[in-house]
Every structure is written in structure tokens, then in C-alpha cells.
Amino acid sequence: MKVKIDADLCTACELCTSQVPEVFEMGDDVAEVITPDVPAEFTDAVSEAARDCPVEAIIVS
Ligand code: SF4
């Protein structure tokens, strides 16, 4: 699984960074991805974060 964040959509609500701090961190203005290639143990959590993001800024593939 790969993950990225659409910086134009992210509102910096910090939901994803609190849900999966191993993968997401806060940058200066928006959340950023630490590990674009998601480790297997975090794929379920990243999928959930993508579903929960209020502005659908988390893109998984
Ligand atoms: S949950 Fe969505 S809007 Fe909130 S910080 Fe993460 S990417 Fe940004």
C-alpha cells in the first residue's frame, strides 16, 4: 500500500497523526507522510484514517 496526502485539502485537524503517528506527522501547515510505502502492520490503520479524514485528503493506492 502507498499513501499520500493532498496538501491542498488537508485542514491540519491532526486526526490522522493521532491515529497513526508511525505513518503521519504534522508538518508546518498540513499533515505529511513519513512512510509513503506503508509497512504491512499499519495498512489497516491507514485505511481507517483515510476513511475518517474529514476532507478525504488521504489517498491510498
Ligand atoms: S485527517 Fe485529513 S485533514 Fe486531518 S490532518 Fe490528516 S490529512 Fe489532514
Side-chain angles (χ1 to χ4, degrees), residues 48-61:
E48 186 174 342
R51 283 196 301 271
D52 291 347
C53 173
V55 292
E56 300 183 3
I58 300 172
I59 301 151
V60 294
S61 56

Side-chain angles (χ1 to χ4, degrees), residues 5-58:
I5 289 176
D6 187 332
D8 292 331
L9 294 177
C10 176
T11 59
C13 75
E14 301 189 18
L15 185 63
C16 60
T17 56
S18 63
Q19 282 184 325
V20 202
E22 298 86 354
V23 176
F24 302 108
E25 65 181 356
M26 289 310 298
D28 290 339
D29 298 315
V30 296
E32 296 176 348
V33 175
I34 303 167
T35 56
D37 287 309
V38 180
E41 63 264 43
F42 299 123
T43 55
D44 287 349
V46 168
S47 293
E48 186 174 342
R51 283 196 301 271
D52 291 347
C53 173
V55 292
E56 300 183 3
I58 300 172

